[in-house]
Amino acid sequence: MSDDKSKTGGPDRQRINTSEEYEVQDWSKKFGVTTDQLKDAVDKVGPMADDVRRELGK
């Protein structure tokens, strides 16, 4: 199921969707990591941004 880009904010801002390249780029830049590091962290702990941040030590 694709993101509904007409619905922004709220819960969508708390999740990292690795199927959307622009999200991977944005979150990687925000956390200061490579896209591979971000994807590995999401694979390990799930898509919630706070969990990924903790996994990355940020």
Side-chain angles (χ1 to χ4, degrees):
M1 181 179 216
S2 297
D3 279 343
D4 183 347
K5 295 189 181 31
S6 67
K7 296 180 182 178
T8 60
D12 195 44
R13 290 187 184 177
Q14 298 170 2
R15 294 182 181 271
I16 300 171
N17 181 354
T18 57
S19 297
E20 296 287 347
E21 191 58 33
Y22 72 93
E23 283 199 32
V24 173
Q25 293 292 329
D26 288 347
W27 284 106
S28 295
K29 184 176 179 181
K30 180 175 182 163
F31 292 142
V33 297
T34 67
T35 57
D36 287 337
Q37 288 172 313
L38 180 76
K39 289 178 182 179
D40 288 345
V42 171
D43 287 344
K44 185 173 180 183
V45 300
M48 299 305 294
D50 287 340
D51 296 338
V52 173
R53 179 182 293 111
R54 278 191 293 276
E55 175 64 21
L56 294 169
K58 302 296 176 178

